[in-house]
Amino acid sequence: MRHVEAYSRLAGVYDEIVVDPCHAHWASFLHELWSDDAEGVGSVLDICCGTGLLAGELVARGYRVVGVDASEAMLTLARERLGAEVVLSRMTLPELAVEGVFDAAVCTFDGLNYLAPDELRLTMGAVAGCLRPAGWFVFDLHTDAMMNFTIANPTVAGQSAGNDFVISSVVDPGARTCDTRIELTQARDGDSFSEQHRQYFHADANVRASLEHGGFDVTAVGAEYTHEPADASTLRATWTARRRPDELC
């Protein structure tokens, strides 16, 4: 079995074995949230845009979207899906060298869990620099409940679209890290592979401090893309923050 760079070979089967059919619901939540903005939300920066599933939903709702991701393989699929309507660039956080100022930024499907705490802090400032005053930053993060769930369920195996896969995770609760090996044991195309991923379970206090340092005010922390407040059972929390009007771009 070949060991390959994270999100290189996985990109080709990502939508089939990793992603739930959730992006339409998430985009509807965002559309409703932003509809109350008196200044209006027209432009959106999609951070860690992956294969472009959310960007496509936002474009269908009338938004102008720019997407960035660290994986060229994922961006290749996003370009095939979205065409020339969405500008897509390869960037690795905390770098955000994008042109223009946006009304909102999003980062979905635990993209920010891939950042170490110091990188998260720097990224918050970089995102704020891309937003207009009172611009929105909506993102999700895995929670302590997800950390405990992963400890209790370290291995997930299954089959999807002709691919057999095994996802094995090792959590260090003290360091708040999760090292995950994703193995395609029997691939549809016959090419099995293994990828190693590291994520971080960010403590709520550290997320709030990073947002505060970056120039944001937190307005809500909800259960996965709903208006229900996150609680101790929430596996994926959705954070909503607004860039402080008095912060300089």
Side-chain angles (χ1 to χ4, degrees), residues 4-249:
V4 297
E5 181 182 354
Y7 288 112
S8 54
R9 280 285 286 112
L10 182 62
V13 295
Y14 181 81
D15 295 347
E16 299 164 358
I17 71 173
V18 178
V19 177
D20 298 322
C22 54
H23 290 88
H25 166 71
W26 291 2
S28 293
F29 170 85
L30 294 168
H31 184 64
E32 177 190 358
L33 182 69
W34 295 334
S35 66
D36 291 332
D37 189 328
E39 294 187 50
V41 174
S43 57
V44 181
L45 176 62
D46 187 358
I47 301 165
C48 304
C49 65
T51 62
L53 290 168
L54 181 69
E57 294 288 348
L58 292 174
V59 168
R61 288 163 175 76
Y63 295 97
R64 301 183 304 278
V65 181
V66 170
V68 299
D69 199 276
S71 167
E72 188 59 44
M74 299 284 268
L75 288 170
T76 296
L77 294 173
R79 292 186 182 102
E80 293 174 358
R81 170 173 281 123
L82 301 170
E85 188 173 0
V86 176
V87 175
L88 298 168
S89 301
R90 185 177 186 182
M91 294 182 193
T92 301
L93 297 175
E95 177 191 359
L96 273 178
V98 293
E99 294 184 2
V101 177
F102 298 84
D103 299 312
V106 295
C107 187
T108 58
F109 237 106
D110 53 270
L112 295 183
N113 284 109
Y114 279 87
L115 301 178
D118 59 334
E119 295 171 329
L120 181 69
R121 186 180 179 91
L122 292 171
T123 295
M124 296 306 186
V127 174
C130 296
L131 296 175
R132 63 163 168 82
W136 300 78
F137 186 25
V138 185
F139 58 94
D140 61 61
L141 288 171
H142 283 163
T143 63
D144 283 8
M146 179 65 86
M147 179 167 63
N148 294 331
F149 177 85
T150 306
I151 292 171
N153 301 271
T155 302
V156 176
Q159 185 180 63
S160 180
N163 301 295
D164 293 347
F165 62 89
V166 178
I167 303 174
S168 305
S169 299
V170 177
V171 175
D172 182 337
R176 302 184 68 88
T177 58
C178 180
D179 291 303
T180 299
R181 182 176 297 279
I182 301 175
E183 297 177 309
L184 210 65
T185 56
Q186 182 173 332
R188 181 178 60 234
D189 61 7
D191 185 14
S192 62
F193 67 87
S194 173
E195 290 188 3
Q196 188 75 23
H197 296 246
R198 166 163 280 201
Q199 291 185 299
Y200 297 81
F201 293 102
H202 298 294
D204 284 2
N206 289 342
V207 179
R208 290 182 180 276
S210 295
L211 285 165
E212 171 72 19
H213 182 265
F216 287 100
D217 292 322
V218 178
T219 61
V221 184
E224 186 171 321
Y225 296 95
T226 71
H227 296 291
E228 294 294 323
D231 60 24
S233 66
T234 301
L235 298 178
R236 176 182 281 126
T238 302
W239 291 72
T240 302
R242 306 286 299 272
R243 183 181 158 243
R244 287 194 292 272
D246 57 346
E247 294 291 329
L248 296 176
C249 290

